[in-house]
Amino acid sequence: MASAQVFQMLQFCSPWNLAAIGFCLVIWYWWKRPCDAKFPPGPRGVPLLGILPFLGKAPAVTLKKWSLEKYGPVMSIRMGRTDVVVLNTFEAIHQALVKQSASYSDRVSMELFRTTGNDGLGARKYDEDYKVQKHFGLKFLRETGLGKRRLDNLLNEEGDQFMEYLSSFGDKPVDLKKYLYWLTSNVISQVALGKRHDYGDPDYQELLGIVSNLISQPGDAPKLALISMYGVLGKIPPFSGALKRFDQRQLTMLSYMQKYIDQHKRDFDPDNVTDFIDAFLYEAKFKQSENSSFTDKQLQAYCRDFFAAGTETSSSTLSWCIAFLLNFPEYYEIIEKEINDTIGTAGRPSMSERNDMPMTCAFIQEVMRNRTLAPLAMLHATTHATKLMGYVIPKGTQVIPNLDGAHMDPVDWPNPDVFNPRRHIDENGKFVKSNKIIPFSVGARFCIGESLARAEIYIFLVKLLQRFHIKSSKQFPPPVNEGIISATLSIKECEVILTEKDGK
C-alpha cells in the first residue's frame, strides 16, 4: 500500500523534481557509512572516484596528514564505491594486526594477482591452507634453508663474489642500485632454486630482467599502485593496458619458475633436500595429501613472491643506506670507524657482533623508519565484524596499514622528518631496537623473509664499507627526499664511484 502511494505521488512530480529527488538519493547513498556513527570518520571524496583525485603522488603521506589534522589514528576513506579503513599509527596497527590478528589477516581478491588467484603467499586468503603454507615457509627458512651459520656463510661468500665484481669497474661510475639488485636476487636464487649465477651469465640476466620488469617498470608502476587500491581502474584505459602488461610479465615469471620446478622433479632426491623447491616437493610427496595446496601452481607463485619481495626490499634498503651515508658524511665516518674497530677491513661480518656496532645498527634502523619500503603495505580484510579503538569494523572491510604513517608519527618520533640515527641509541651508547619500526609489517601477515632481509642489509653494507671508499659520481649525492613509488618506494638513482681501500 505504501509503495502504491509513493508511486501516485511520483506521478505528480515534474521531471525536474524527479531529478532532484534522484540526486538527493545518490548523495545520501554516497555519504551513508557502514554502521553509521560507529564506523571510523574520514573523507568521502567525490562520487564514483572517492578520494582518488586528492591522494597526490604520495598517498601514505596524504593519509597521515588527514589523520593528524582531522580524523585520528583510525579513519575511513571511500575508494570508488568501497569504504576502506586506514590505520595511521603504530598503536592502531598493533591493536588490529597483532592483538586481533585472526580478525584482520584476510585478503581481498586483487586485480594485480588475477593470474595466480589464491596461489602464493602474499595475496592468499587467510584460510587453513594459508596457515599451512606460511608454517612450511617459516620452517624451511628457520630450520632447513637458513640456519644461522649457513646464513652467515652464504651471505659472506656471495658478498665476496659481489665485491670482486664491483672491483672490476675501477674508478668508473657504478649504478649501485642496479648491481645491488643483482646481488640480492642471487641470494634468493640460491635459497629458492638452489643455484648461484655468475653476474655475466645470460640465464641470470634473463632472470633479472623478468624479476625487475615484474615490479619496477617506471611507466606502469604508478598505474599499478593505483590499481592495487582501486581494482576497478584495471578495466579502464590506460590502466587496463598497464595491467595486461603486468599480467604478461607475471606469466613469463611463472613459466620461468616452472622450468626450474621441472628440473628439480627430474633430479629429485629425498635424501638430499637443498633448497626451497626441493623442500616443497618433499612436503608434497611425503607429508601432504593429494588434495592439499602443495601444487605446481602454488610453488610457482611462492617462488614469484620470494623473488618479488626478497630482491626488491633488501636491494632498495641498501641503496637508501648508501645514499643517506653520502648525504650525512658524519655518520659515514662514525660507522666506518666502528667497522674498523670491531671487525677490521678483512674480518667476516656476522649478525652476532651487532651489539658492538651501535651506530651501524641505529643508522640502518633510521633508514628503515625514514624510507618505508612498502608505505601502505598490502590490503588486509576483516574475517568478521570487530571493534577497534571505539569503532565497529564490519566483516569483509578492507584495511590499509599505513606503515609510513606509523614511522612518521610525531608522537612516537619527535621531528619525524629529521634523519637522526642517534634517536635509536640510549644514554649508555647502546643500540635500542624498536618494535615500532615495522618495515616488514606485523601480525599473521608479517614477511617471512624478514630475518634474511635484515641479515643481507647488515652484512652487505658492512662488506661494502670494508672494501671501498664510496663517493657520489655527481656534484651532489643521490637525493634522499624523493623516490619512485611502485610496489615499493625505491631510490631514483644511486650512481657512485667505488675506490678500493689500501691493501685490496
Side-chain angles (χ1 to χ4, degrees), residues 80 86 102 241 261 277 339 377:
V86 185
I261 294 169
I277 294 180
I339 292 171

Side-chain angles (χ1 to χ4, degrees), residues 181 208-217 224 245-246 249:
Y181 198 92
L208 287 167
I210 292 170
V211 178
S212 178
N213 287 336
L214 185 65
I215 54 179
S216 300
Q217 280 287 322
L224 295 173
R245 290 188 290 274
F246 181 69
R249 293 195 293 269

Side-chain angles (χ1 to χ4, degrees), residues 141-333:
L141 290 174
R142 290 172 177 169
E143 299 178 10
T144 308
L146 293 175
K148 184 177 178 182
R149 172 176 284 184
R150 183 171 186 262
L151 177 59
D152 275 354
N153 288 338
L154 185 154
L155 297 183
N156 272 283
E157 289 169 7
E158 187 59 42
D160 289 340
Q161 297 270 8
F162 182 67
M163 301 310 152
E164 286 298 318
Y165 181 78
L166 291 182
S167 70
S168 67
F169 289 92
D171 289 333
K172 297 177 182 177
V174 175
D175 180 2
L176 205 53
K177 175 184 175 181
K178 170 184 174 181
Y179 294 117
L180 287 171
Y181 198 92
W182 292 15
L183 168 65
T184 56
S185 185
N186 223 350
V187 172
I188 297 297
S189 181
Q190 293 180 72
V191 172
L193 311 181
K195 179 176 177 60
R196 185 195 176 275
H197 303 264
D198 292 332
Y199 291 111
D201 182 351
D203 184 59
Y204 185 47
Q205 293 301 317
E206 180 186 7
L207 173 62
L208 287 167
I210 292 170
V211 178
S212 178
N213 287 336
L214 185 65
I215 54 179
S216 300
Q217 280 287 322
D220 287 343
K223 301 181 185 70
L224 295 173
L226 288 173
I227 292 171
S228 70
M229 298 176 67
Y230 286 81
V232 69
L233 291 178
K235 306 180 187 302
I236 305 169
F239 299 95
S240 56
L243 181 57
K244 287 179 181 178
R245 290 188 290 274
F246 181 69
D247 287 344
Q248 186 55 53
R249 293 195 293 269
Q250 284 210 80
L251 291 172
T252 301
M253 177 74 170
L254 297 172
S255 176
Y256 190 91
M257 291 300 109
Q258 187 62 47
K259 178 179 73 172
Y260 276 94
I261 294 169
D262 292 340
Q263 179 181 322
H264 276 67
K265 285 182 175 180
R266 290 192 297 269
D267 301 334
F268 180 68
D269 179 358
D271 296 321
N272 186 30
V273 174
T274 60
D275 56 52
F276 183 76
I277 294 180
D278 275 345
F280 191 98
L281 295 176
Y282 184 92
E283 193 81 6
K285 187 175 181 63
F286 295 107
K287 293 189 176 183
Q288 300 294 331
S289 69
E290 292 182 1
N291 296 323
S292 76
S293 57
F294 284 78
T295 65
D296 276 13
K297 286 185 64 178
Q298 168 63 16
L299 182 51
Q300 288 175 5
Y302 219 144
C303 290
R304 174 206 61 191
D305 292 349
F306 264 126
F307 276 96
T311 296
E312 183 73 20
T313 52
S314 299
S315 64
S316 288
T317 301
L318 281 164
S319 296
W320 284 117
C321 283
I322 297 300
F324 273 102
L325 283 174
L326 297 177
N327 278 271
F328 296 89
E330 64 270 29
Y331 297 117
Y332 193 148
E333 293 177 10

